[in-house]
Amino acid sequence: MTEIIDSIKKIAIEISDAIKSKDTGKVESTNASGDIQVKLDVISDEIAEKYLLDTSSVKEIISEEKEKPITKESGKYFVAYDPLDGSSLIDVDLSVGSIFGIYENGYDGEDIKAAVYVVYGPRVEMVVARDVVELFRLNEKTNEFEFIKELKLEKKGKILGPGGTQKYWYPYHKEMIDNFFKEGYRLRYSGGMVPDLHQILLKGGGLFAYPGTEDKPKGKLRKLFEVFPFAYVYKKAGGFGVDGYNDLLTLKAEHYHDTTPCFFGSEYEINKVLQTYKGQK
Ligand code: P6P
């Protein structure tokens, strides 16, 4: 596992350099989920693939940018990754990230054994979730990631990231979000899952919601590459990740690019979600 995390550190440094120097223009292609790719999506995917395939303990990799996995003759872990999540935000100079789920024997929620994400912002930070959740920061002089602190979520927070197209929110979901704002929660939503969830984690709590909607009942965010890794991070940090009804890590992936409604946050907020959604199915 340490070998994979060391490879992800090298990937992060190379992707960070590419973000600063490469063209963010669009390419004439879409990824497996139908998202239009920017050149940096393709470059970041090539960087991640290079290092992960060269890692002896990696048996298989699958990228959000590709249809199917690449399988090696040897190795143990399966790595599902989103090499550059929210890449369209680079054009407006907002933070973006990379997400890695490290699985064993499959890609269901129960198969994830560790999760890592990287935030490319004013600083480059990496969060590694194994038994505990650890924050590292890139020292750009030495090109080394330095341990900063362990991350834990409080029982309740003060910030709220309400994703999904509001026009298509189910009425009970809209009422729940409105009630959080009436309680005084502050809106914190950039359109980048990685910085948005990183902020809630570092601020000690709150709620990020990307629900099912009338136009997208299964939500937008992908189980293997985005949802299961962040559900693992939040669970290990003392928080929760649910689909409105169940722990996200009890879910199975129907196919590699399967999506699910998802809510990540502290105990108080997630209990509100579960109360709201109970009986709505
Ligand atoms: P919307 C970025 O494209 C992404 O996959 C996540 O990083 C982010 O949380 C979500 O989509 C934003 O979606 O519909 O608010 O633009």
Side-chain angles (χ1 to χ4, degrees), residues 85-86 164 189 191-193 208 210 220-222 226:
D85 182 79
Y189 190 80
M193 177 184 200
F208 173 92
Y210 207 103
K220 172 183 182 183
L221 302 180
R222 292 84 172 180
E226 295 162 326

Side-chain angles (χ1 to χ4, degrees), residues 94-141:
L94 285 178
S95 299
V96 292
S98 301
I99 313 166
F100 302 82
I102 300 166
Y103 299 78
E104 252 189 277
N105 304 319
Y107 295 108
D108 290 333
E110 65 188 11
D111 298 323
I112 193 164
K113 304 302 177 201
V116 179
Y117 70 82
V118 183
V119 189
Y120 308 100
R123 301 183 294 214
V124 178
E125 295 193 338
M126 174 182 283
V127 169
V128 178
R130 285 176 284 192
D131 293 331
V132 297
V133 180
E134 298 175 302
L135 171 66
F136 297 84
R137 187 173 295 145
L138 181 64
N139 178 329
E140 306 219 345
K141 293 188 177 67

